[in-house]
Amino acid sequence: MQEQDHEVVTLFKEKLIPLSGKLTEMLNEHFSHQSERRGCGYTQATRLLAEFINEPRESEDNKDYRIFSDYKVSNLKAKFPILKQQGLELDDWRNLDESPEVKNYLNTHHADGNAATNLLFQETQFQQNLRQIHENAVLEESKLICRLIADIVLPKNNQQHEYVELTCSQDKPKVGSCPMAEDFFLQIAHHRILRQGSINIFVDHNNCPILLEKMNMGDNHSCISLAPVLMNGVCLPAGSLFSLDYDLEQIENKRPNQKVRGHVIPVDAVKFWFLRLTTLAVSPENRQRTFTTHFKQQIDNNLFSPETTRLSQLVDIANEQI
């Protein structure tokens, strides 16, 4: 374990509510998570959060709160019938802090002092603080984790179409996420593509590159995001690792790449599965601190410039194909 708590662990403990024991252990880099297959605790933490991210949010479901050590929204949900009698009908416990109806209700009834109203007020305060907790983080990698946790509990609705929204696969494709998964993406960023290899570029409606997939280089159907994307209400940063499974022959509107073997494919033609954050999701100057033993493993295995490669290099490669 680290001598001091990870910044995210401290923030939640001091500003909101402690994280679960498992997530705390991962972020604090317990040695059990620094294995050859796991990489490091931070990497494992993003794999853990992936379990929540790949599941659609359900109004009846409150298992997202397993991220925290001890927080039960079921107490509030039990009061929904009472709140309905008092003029507030709620269908979901999420995003209450942004609901105009909830705000109006609390402005009118907060002084009543009844248990249902008090629980509603506590939950809206909790959600508001959770939504803003990343603003208290100093470290780049801490902001990433804080935002992921907030979006899991309080999913974005994307009404302004701010993000490209990925369709999530119902089942996890058989693609690995070991610490060496970055290997070929790092090579591709430096125009090193195996003779038998190819890359596919997934583009949005504006023909902008959103993800890059490698084929015949390590695991097939492994891809990295080149821009922030939305999946099940969670904003995933550029540098996220996904797997996918599809039949290229069945995809319409694909076209050959301009310079290397592969195709340009509409992003809405396939379904994705989020695996974890890659080391490329964090700026080069912060990677060693963030990914500790995972990053060291990449250096020790002579991966191609993991300490200097930037995601923008992959974006450039993708743009050359469009």
Side-chain angles (χ1 to χ4, degrees):
M1 297 282 279
Q2 297 176 158
E3 291 184 5
Q4 292 183 323
D5 281 340
H6 191 282
E7 183 182 31
V8 174
V9 173
T10 300
L11 276 176
F12 275 87
K13 190 184 299 182
E14 294 182 353
K15 302 280 187 184
L16 203 62
I17 187 175
L19 296 171
S20 70
K22 182 182 291 187
L23 191 51
T24 296
E25 189 179 77
M26 290 173 176
L27 289 170
N28 280 345
E29 295 296 338
H30 189 272
F31 69 87
S32 63
H33 301 296
Q34 296 184 331
S35 66
E36 184 177 340
R37 293 295 300 173
R38 293 180 175 184
C40 71
Y42 188 91
T43 305
Q44 274 293 90
T46 68
R47 287 195 186 99
L48 175 66
L49 295 179
E51 297 175 12
F52 297 92
I53 293 166
N54 287 308
E55 291 190 18
R57 308 282 90 77
E58 301 288 347
S59 60
E60 294 300 316
D61 182 21
N62 59 346
K63 63 176 177 286
D64 298 343
Y65 275 95
R66 289 180 301 168
I67 289 171
F68 308 113
S69 63
D70 183 25
Y71 195 94
K72 297 180 177 66
V73 77
S74 54
N75 295 332
L76 172 62
K77 289 170 67 177
K79 302 294 184 183
F80 277 12
I82 296 174
L83 291 169
K84 184 177 180 181
Q85 291 174 5
Q86 296 173 351
L88 179 65
E89 186 167 1
L90 298 174
D91 297 321
D92 196 349
W93 55 267
R94 294 181 178 86
N95 295 318
L96 296 173
D97 61 316
E98 292 189 333
S99 165
E101 292 80 13
V102 170
K103 290 178 182 178
N104 290 336
Y105 175 87
L106 288 174
N107 286 337
T108 306
H109 293 84
H110 186 51
D112 296 353
N114 66 63
T117 302
N118 287 341
L119 282 172
L120 178 63
F121 177 75
Q122 290 170 17
E123 182 62 28
T124 56
Q125 289 296 109
F126 176 86
Q127 292 183 10
Q128 186 176 43
N129 292 335
L130 174 59
R131 198 182 299 280
Q132 299 171 349
I133 196 167
H134 70 275
E135 297 174 2
N136 296 288
V138 174
L139 305 179
E140 177 186 7
E141 63 271 23
S142 297
K143 292 179 182 292
L144 288 177
I145 295 291
C146 287
R147 286 191 173 108
L148 289 178
I149 293 172
D151 283 1
I152 289 170
V153 179
L154 307 170
K156 300 181 185 300
N157 56 32
N158 207 31
Q159 286 183 345
Q160 305 301 319
H161 303 288
E162 184 179 357
Y163 305 101
V164 170
E165 197 156 355
L166 302 185
T167 302
C168 190
S169 175
Q170 290 185 333
D171 301 302
K172 180 181 180 180
K174 295 180 180 179
V175 176
S177 67
C178 78
M180 296 298 102
E182 284 88 339
D183 186 7
F184 289 107
F185 291 119
L186 290 167
Q187 294 189 44
I188 293 167
H190 294 272
H191 294 83
R192 296 163 63 97
I193 298 176
L194 298 184
R195 182 172 299 176
Q196 76 275 15
S198 64
I199 60 173
N200 295 320
I201 311 301
F202 294 92
V203 296
D204 65 10
H205 295 299
N206 296 317
N207 221 27
C208 294
I210 304 301
L211 301 105
L212 183 150
E213 176 191 31
K214 60 181 178 63
M215 297 292 290
N216 299 317
M217 293 179 281
D219 281 350
N220 284 336
H221 298 307
S222 172
C223 67
I224 188 170
S225 61
L226 306 177
V229 295
L230 200 69
M231 176 178 279
N232 290 328
V234 179
C235 179
L236 296 166
S240 295
L241 185 69
F242 295 86
S243 61
L244 60 162
D245 189 16
Y246 63 94
D247 183 353
L248 186 64
E249 298 301 319
Q250 299 297 316
I251 294 181
E252 300 178 359
N253 302 321
K254 63 180 180 290
R255 63 183 189 275
N257 288 337
Q258 292 286 342
K259 294 190 175 182
V260 301
R261 186 185 295 112
H263 291 84
V264 176
I265 301 171
V267 72
D268 54 9
V270 300
K271 297 180 180 180
F272 298 85
W273 187 272
F274 173 58
L275 295 172
R276 64 169 172 85
L277 295 188
T278 70
T279 53
L280 289 165
V282 173
S283 304
E285 56 269 23
N286 296 328
R287 280 180 199 153
Q288 183 174 9
R289 181 188 65 214
T290 302
F291 290 97
T292 61
T293 50
H294 179 170
F295 181 78
K296 183 178 185 299
Q297 199 173 331
Q298 292 184 349
I299 297 293
D300 292 346
N301 282 275
N302 296 312
L303 268 61
F304 203 88
S305 301
E307 72 279 19
T308 58
T309 302
R310 293 186 177 275
L311 198 63
S312 59
Q313 294 171 244
L314 282 173
V315 175
D316 291 341
I317 297 290
N319 277 315
E320 290 173 2
Q321 314 312 319
I322 297 172

